[in-house]
Amino acid sequence: MGPIDYLAIEFPGAKLTGEGLAALLDLVDRGIIRVLDLRAAKVDTDGTVTAMEIADFDGDGTLDLAVFQGVQSGLLDDDDLSQSAGLIEPGNGVALILYENTWAGPFVAAMRKAGAEVVSSGRIPANDVIELLEQLESGADA
């Protein structure tokens, strides 16, 4: 099994446009990732958090994420969804995606077979990388 990661994504006005769905499906179809859990919630303007079913989020009559309907490994629970909802502004929605990096599975298996062990792992947030690259590009000190 490859490393497991999650993303919490905020949607202004709790509106999904579907633009990222094609990219997500492509990653799954090519075997780069495997979606283990996909949960969503809306935070009302009064702060009330409401879990949402994977359904017709944008109200156009089409099931937006039908391919992921029922995807639930049990690794994410209601507390995880509530914590993610606490990261967003009232009136917005949040999607929480838990996925396996399947591309890494064969590499990890080969390293373990050779007696190697991962001793550290981490992630640099994309916004931090973008900020640093912009500083470097502008010639400013990082």
Side-chain angles (χ1 to χ4, degrees):
M1 179 168 243
I4 306 295
D5 287 322
Y6 74 91
L7 293 173
I9 304 165
E10 182 174 12
F11 293 93
K15 299 289 182 196
L16 299 175
T17 64
E19 292 177 31
L21 181 58
L24 182 62
L25 289 172
D26 180 58
L27 292 170
V28 170
D29 288 345
R30 292 189 297 144
I32 295 171
I33 66 167
R34 177 170 58 118
V35 176
L36 301 173
D37 278 295
L38 182 58
R39 307 274 311 267
K42 179 180 179 184
V43 179
D44 293 327
T45 53
D46 68 0
T48 303
V49 176
T50 305
M52 299 169 57
E53 291 294 321
I54 303 303
D56 178 19
F57 289 121
D58 57 12
D60 68 357
T62 302
L63 187 61
D64 298 308
L65 300 175
V67 70
F68 297 119
Q69 187 173 21
V71 171
Q72 202 167 16
S73 69
L75 295 172
L76 290 180
D77 60 21
D78 290 341
D79 288 339
D80 297 313
L81 191 58
S82 292
Q83 287 178 7
S84 294
L87 300 173
I88 68 169
E89 294 294 320
N92 292 342
V94 64
L96 187 56
I97 303 171
L98 185 74
Y99 60 94
E100 174 193 0
N101 291 283
T102 51
W103 63 267
F107 172 71
V108 171
M111 292 295 95
R112 285 192 174 156
K113 186 176 179 181
E117 290 292 329
V118 176
V119 295
S120 180
S121 179
R123 170 137 313 164
I124 301 171
N127 288 342
D128 292 353
V129 174
I130 291 168
E131 183 179 312
L132 180 59
L133 290 174
E134 287 173 349
Q135 287 176 0
L136 292 171
E137 195 172 275
S138 70
D141 290 330

